């Protein structure tokens, strides 16, 4: 059986009830067995049309399903609980993201594993470090605990390959005072935790030994993508209860 980690979130309706219903529907033996789950976290919404605050958590399963069979199961559970995809990054009653499928690396138009944002979204990393601190990212070679600690560094150094965004660094500094935005050239020798922000095809998960933030497919123009990225990195989710 393969061990997988799944992120779960919601900002419509009774999220606790939706989370419980999702687990009950997803974990039908013998194909899927629940292994562990984090507490519930309250997190800020990311995006311009996403609505109010989210509840988030992560859980692990052991499964005999293939990655694409598991993806089908996750999407069936979402649909059964009222999830529609009319508005991308909009409000939702349930959201299930396949974060890691063991140590497999998959990149297809339908499924990318590890999830490209699993290492920097605090609404994923904070609950994940609670229950999987020692798990090592298959591409980055660092544990979730190490990534979580590096995300907490201030100032957070970000290397941006979009000169149009770099030219507006003053706006970003005013909005996110904990960030130091540099051009790719200036960041080459910088210490800290620089990240490459790019809109071209994602091929290499690291740049100069640093993780790459893959913003392809995210909504909005280049500047808005960076704003949403920084909001996800700098958020401090609040643990609200056990789950």
């Amino acid at each position: 059986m393969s061990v997988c980690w799944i992120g779960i979130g919601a900002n419509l309706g009774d999220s606790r009830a939706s989370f419980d219903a999702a687990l009950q529907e997803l974990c039908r033996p013998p194909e899927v067995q629940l292994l562990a789950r984090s507490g519930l976290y309250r997190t800020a919404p990311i995006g311009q049309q996403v609505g109010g605050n989210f509840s988030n958590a992560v859980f692990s399963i052991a499964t005999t399903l293939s990655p694409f069979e598991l993806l089908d199961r996750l999407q069936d559970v979402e649909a059964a609980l009222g999830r529609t995809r009319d508005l991308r990054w909009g409000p939702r009653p349930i959201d299930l993201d396949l974060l890691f499928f063991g140590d497999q690396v998959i990149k297809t138009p339908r499924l990318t594993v590890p999830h490209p944002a699993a290492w920097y979204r605090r609404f994923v990393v904070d609950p994940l470090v609670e229950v999987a601190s020692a798990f090592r990212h298959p591409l980055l070679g660092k544990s979730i605990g190490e990534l979580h600690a590096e995300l907490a560094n201030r100032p957070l150094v970000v290397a941006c390959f979009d000169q149009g965004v770099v030219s507006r660094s003053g706006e970003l500094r005013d909005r996110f005072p904990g960030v130091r935005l540099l051009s790719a050239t200036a960041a080459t020798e910088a210490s800290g935790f620089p990240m490459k922000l790019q809109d071209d095809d994602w091929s290499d998960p690291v740049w100069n030994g640093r993780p790459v933030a893959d913003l392809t497919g995210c909504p909005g123009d280049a500047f808005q993508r960076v704003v949403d990225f920084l909001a996800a990195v700098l958020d401090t989710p609040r643990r609200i209860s056990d789950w």
Side-chain angles (χ1 to χ4, degrees):
M1 299 183 83
S2 299
V3 175
C4 309
W5 288 95
I6 296 166
I8 186 168
N11 71 337
L12 292 177
D14 185 339
S15 58
R16 175 66 179 265
S18 296
F19 286 12
D20 290 343
L23 279 190
Q24 183 176 359
E25 181 65 21
L26 176 67
C27 297
R28 298 199 302 266
E31 297 90 358
V32 179
Q33 299 174 16
L34 179 66
L35 297 179
R37 52 183 163 180
S38 74
L40 298 176
Y41 286 74
R42 182 64 45 79
T43 64
I46 307 297
Q48 295 178 295
Q49 304 181 75
V50 74
N53 289 336
F54 272 78
S55 294
N56 286 97
V58 298
F59 60 93
S60 65
I61 60 170
T63 183
T64 58
L65 298 175
S66 72
F68 289 95
E69 289 172 334
L70 179 56
L71 179 62
D72 288 338
R73 177 78 69 88
L74 293 172
Q75 292 181 343
D76 287 346
V77 171
E78 288 180 329
L81 293 176
R83 171 75 186 271
T84 62
R85 301 181 185 275
D86 301 327
L87 177 62
R88 190 172 186 192
W89 282 31
R92 63 208 71 172
I94 194 72
D95 189 20
L96 294 165
D97 286 328
L98 179 54
L99 305 174
F100 301 99
F101 195 98
D103 60 0
Q104 290 195 39
V105 177
I106 302 168
K107 190 172 189 297
T108 71
R110 186 170 179 231
L111 176 64
T112 299
V113 174
H115 191 293
W119 64 269
Y120 69 76
R121 286 178 173 170
R122 292 289 298 273
F123 61 81
V124 172
V125 178
D126 280 40
L128 190 57
V129 78
E130 179 183 335
V131 288
S133 178
F135 177 78
R136 301 193 76 82
H137 194 290
L139 289 172
L140 304 181
K142 294 185 177 183
S143 71
I144 299 301
E146 290 170 331
L147 291 168
H148 182 265
E150 291 180 328
L151 287 170
N153 287 336
R154 297 293 181 271
L156 188 74
V157 181
V158 176
C160 185
F161 276 48
D162 188 311
Q163 291 305 310
V165 174
V166 173
S167 69
R168 300 175 65 180
S169 60
E171 296 176 54
L172 292 171
R173 184 172 56 251
D174 290 342
R175 184 164 180 175
F176 303 105
V179 171
R180 184 183 177 203
L181 186 71
L182 303 175
S183 68
T185 302
T188 300
E189 302 299 329
S191 60
F193 193 54
M195 288 161 280
K196 179 180 175 185
L197 309 178
Q198 61 182 34
D199 288 317
D200 54 350
D201 291 336
W202 178 56
S203 56
D204 190 350
V206 296
W207 171 76
N208 283 353
R210 295 135 177 167
V212 173
D214 176 23
L215 303 186
T216 58
C218 296
D221 59 19
F223 186 79
Q224 185 60 48
R225 292 181 184 193
V226 173
V227 168
D228 292 340
F229 165 80
L230 294 177
V233 170
L234 297 174
D235 183 32
T236 305
R238 180 171 61 90
R239 194 183 192 280
I240 55 177
S241 70
D242 292 332
W243 176 31

